Amino acid sequence: MEHLIGATAAILGTVCWLPQTLKTWRTRETKDLSLPANLLILTTLTLWLIYGLMIAAWPLILGNVISILLVGAIVTAKLKFG
């Protein structure tokens, strides 16, 4: 049961970044995005990834790798277009 909860949380936590990432790159509009907030989120995701690796929790690892890529794309867009 705990694996199902972990996998569900990983999927939802990852999917929530997809619309913002796609919209940001499609519109190239970043003025309403906070760079410090997104850098903090990126740091948090990285720490969760490290923790997931330490305890070998695949839902944490996979979810955070994908989330890091998506939030990293938002940060890149902010730096490039902002």
Side-chain angles (χ1 to χ4, degrees):
M1 181 61 141
E2 52 275 337
H3 293 294
L4 178 62
I5 291 172
T8 303
I11 291 167
L12 292 175
T14 299
V15 170
C16 75
W17 292 108
L18 191 57
Q20 184 67 65
T21 304
L22 293 175
K23 181 178 180 183
T24 300
W25 276 92
R26 205 173 314 136
T27 65
R28 298 176 186 249
E29 186 60 52
T30 62
K31 69 178 169 82
D32 292 330
L33 299 177
S34 168
L35 182 59
N38 278 283
L39 288 172
L40 186 58
I41 292 165
L42 193 57
T43 301
T44 302
L45 293 169
T46 301
L47 291 171
W48 275 114
L49 172 60
I50 293 167
Y51 176 68
L53 289 167
M54 291 171 73
I55 65 169
W58 289 106
L60 273 177
I61 295 167
L62 186 58
N64 283 295
V65 165
I66 295 169
S67 293
I68 286 168
L69 292 173
L70 293 172
V71 175
I74 292 170
V75 169
T76 299
K78 180 68 174 172
L79 294 172
K80 184 174 181 174
F81 308 129

